[in-house]
Amino acid sequence: GGTECLVVQLTVTQTGNGWWSCTSTAGSSGNVWSVTLDKLYAVSRVVIHNRQDCCHSRINLAKVYAGAVYCGDVNFVSGKSAYEIDCGGAIAKSISVRLPYNYLTLCEVQAFGVPSDGVVLQNVAAGKTTWQNSVGWGGISSRAVDGGISGIWGRATCTHSASAAFNQWRVNLMDSFVVDSVVLYNRLDCCSSRLAGAKVYVGDTLCGAVEGVANVYRISCNNVAGSVIKIAQEGQYLTLCEVQVLGIPVEDLGNMINIASDGKATQSNTGWNGVAARAIDGNIANRYFDGSCSHSGSPNNAWWNLEFLDVVNVKTVVIYNRKDCCAERINGASVFAGDVLCGTIAYAADQDVYKVDCGSDEVPNVFASNIMIKAAPNQYLTLCEVKVLSNPFVELGTDHLVNLAFQKPHHSPLQGGVVFQHVLWTVKSPANGQQVLVPTQPVLDGGW
């Protein structure tokens, strides 16, 4: 059907050593084999050739992935030498095989597909903040996003509710994503039927329910956008041995980066514990008692300010409004980049996010050392998240050169063991010959 075999002389890694023409891991726990493809492909299927002289059944329940996308399990059949796993055209640049509870031996892996320029799905739930309404037997909610997929309770990677009443588990993705599907890993050593009937939601939108008994379930969410994934089960214990959320960001920022966390937030005054820093905590949760929205203490001349140590390029300011109450208060709020009025928010009942552009055709690049948001007269100011989008490739020019070392973290022998953030800067020379200072990825370490 026009597909090509992809795994040819490519970079391969595994957790162990191999003999002859078959790989073999050194241990029987937590094993992974992976291959990096030379470019993006739409992967139709993966074929695994099993060892035939010994230990045939070890391959049972090996899990196959195209990138972050779970394709399926190998189900061992006596006398069968090759297993074909359907990947459904998943866009990926890598193929991996994971076997968390046995030695992993692979005598050949073939991946078939066609080159693609499609969008790669990512697991956007890994390591994110989780919650569940009860905890039993030490099965805390964060276990479901810890990367462990063994499904064995004794390995401490599964959640567990305290009772068989109504149960709910959530993960906060911290930003809005288009969700393709949610993958649930079931408990294998006991009680596998308990997960049947569990419902999966993106926000309040139902994606679907778990049907039957299986090791892994992939529930389609049909590209619903949201920032919170919920799994609910009624009349039964809820145990999740891993949850993966496959999705992509709602918006491709291109060259833009959010620099809000580089600033220091203050506000006119504080009410109901809504400190200014909540608006740049990276969490777009828009219900106040989730603890992520700022709140002024008075409606008189309420303002919120984000101060940067240096002058920055400001393209767009994005404001996430409160949703559970009082959303109309944002109406008439004014956004400033330094002394430049970027715009005024016009409240709309069906709108939760407001984007205010600071650049214009006449002045495409605005530079400022602070962002200020002023509430309309006699109105409280509540901000559930503020993003400041900046283009780091914009030329600063001589009028905006700054001391990049001023008040930045430094290292001395007396500060051993402390983690610092060092921002690395690169001087680039575009075709016009002018030099541009570009911040590269921050480096976290214990010193230089």
Side-chain angles (χ1 to χ4, degrees):
T3 60
E4 57 182 287
C5 184
L6 315 179
V7 183
V8 181
Q9 295 181 349
L10 301 174
T11 302
V12 178
T13 60
Q14 70 176 68
T15 55
N17 299 311
W19 302 302
W20 304 103
S21 66
C22 299
T23 71
S24 181
T25 57
S28 59
S29 177
N31 291 309
V32 181
W33 177 96
S34 66
V35 59
T36 301
L37 307 176
D38 62 334
K39 55 189 172 185
L40 283 179
Y41 290 90
V43 181
S44 59
R45 68 190 191 278
V46 174
V47 179
I48 293 178
H49 296 263
N50 194 20
R51 180 175 178 179
Q52 293 300 296
D53 61 333
C54 165
C55 326
H56 315 71
S57 62
R58 288 179 178 174
I59 198 67
N60 192 46
L61 299 184
K63 293 172 173 31
V64 178
Y65 297 82
V69 176
Y70 167 75
C71 298
D73 280 10
V74 173
N75 294 304
F76 170 73
V77 176
S78 180
K80 189 173 183 178
S81 62
Y83 298 85
E84 184 172 306
I85 308 298
D86 182 11
C87 288
I91 310 300
K93 198 179 178 181
S94 66
I95 302 296
S96 61
V97 182
R98 300 180 67 179
L99 187 53
Y101 21 64
N102 211 334
Y103 290 92
L104 178 59
T105 298
L106 302 168
C107 291
E108 189 71 15
V109 176
Q110 297 171 308
F112 296 86
V114 295
S116 173
D117 57 0
V119 178
V120 178
L121 294 175
Q122 299 293 328
N123 176 18
V124 296
K128 297 293 176 61
T129 302
T130 58
W131 171 91
Q132 62 189 27
N133 62 336
S134 68
V135 178
W137 295 271
I140 58 176
S141 63
S142 60
R143 287 182 173 184
V145 293
D146 64 1
I149 61 169
S150 73
I152 306 300
W153 175 254
R155 296 192 180 181
T157 64
C158 301
T159 71
H160 203 303
S161 64
S163 73
F166 175 78
N167 291 300
Q168 188 177 109
W169 178 94
R170 301 178 196 164
V171 59
N172 187 341
L173 305 178
M174 306 297 284
D175 210 334
S176 189
F177 292 88
V178 175
V179 180
D180 170 87
S181 53
V182 176
V183 182
L184 307 181
Y185 290 75
N186 198 6
R187 182 174 175 178
L188 302 182
D189 59 337
C190 165
C191 327
S192 299
S193 62
R194 290 178 177 175
L195 198 53
K199 295 179 179 179
V200 178
Y201 297 82
V202 177
D204 295 325
T205 301
L206 175 66
C207 296
V210 171
E211 297 181 359
V213 178
N215 298 330
V216 184
Y217 304 87
R218 185 174 175 186
I219 309 297
S220 175
C221 291
N222 296 313
N223 295 324
V224 173
S227 62
V228 176
I229 303 299
K230 296 187 291 189
I231 300 170
Q233 178 67 300
E234 192 165 1
Q236 188 54 276
Y237 289 96
L238 179 60
T239 296
L240 301 166
C241 290
E242 190 70 11
V243 176
Q244 297 171 337
V245 179
L246 301 178
I248 59 174
V250 164
E251 183 178 16
D252 182 3
L253 297 181
N255 289 333
M256 300 292 188
I257 58 173
N258 176 21
I259 61 172
S261 61
D262 294 340
K264 180 179 180 180
T266 57
Q267 59 189 6
S268 50
N269 42 49
T270 298
W272 296 271
N273 299 315
V275 296
R278 284 184 173 184
I280 56 169
D281 63 1
N283 188 349
I284 66 169
N286 53 14
R287 299 181 186 277
Y288 190 77
F289 293 101
D290 286 342
S292 185
C293 302
S294 69
H295 201 305
S296 66
S298 166
N300 298 321
N301 299 316
W303 54 262
W304 180 91
N305 187 66
L306 185 63
E307 194 76 26
F308 297 97
L309 289 176
D310 304 316
V311 172
V312 296
N313 165 253
V314 181
K315 285 290 188 182
T316 304
V317 177
V318 184
I319 295 174
Y320 291 77
N321 194 22
R322 181 176 176 178
K323 187 176 182 179
D324 59 333
C325 164
C326 327
E328 70 282 355
R329 290 177 178 174
I330 200 69
N331 188 54
S334 300
V335 179
F336 294 83
D339 296 329
V340 175
L341 173 62
C342 299
T344 301
I345 292 175
Y347 167 72
D350 59 348
Q351 188 172 349
D352 300 328
V353 182
Y354 297 87
K355 296 180 181 179
V356 181
D357 291 326
C358 292
S360 64
D361 292 339
E362 294 77 19
V363 185
N365 295 309
V366 173
F367 297 91
S369 60
N370 77 298
I371 301 296
M372 179 170 281
I373 301 172
K374 296 181 179 179
N378 302 312
Q379 192 59 273
Y380 287 97
L381 181 61
T382 298
L383 304 168
C384 290
E385 188 70 12
V386 176
K387 295 181 179 180
V388 180
L389 302 184
S390 174
N391 186 348
F393 295 96
V394 167
E395 300 174 8
L396 295 175
T398 56
D399 292 339
H400 301 290
L401 292 178
V402 295
N403 178 7
L404 300 177
F406 179 64
Q407 293 186 352
K408 291 296 192 296
H410 62 281
H411 176 72
S412 73
L414 297 179
Q415 294 173 309
V418 179
V419 175
F420 298 92
Q421 184 179 44
H422 308 301
V423 180
L424 306 180
W425 293 76
T426 303
V427 178
K428 292 186 177 290
S429 299
N432 60 15
Q434 297 185 3
Q435 291 185 325
V436 185
L437 283 169
V438 179
T440 60
Q441 191 71 21
V443 177
L444 293 175
D445 58 23
W448 292 99

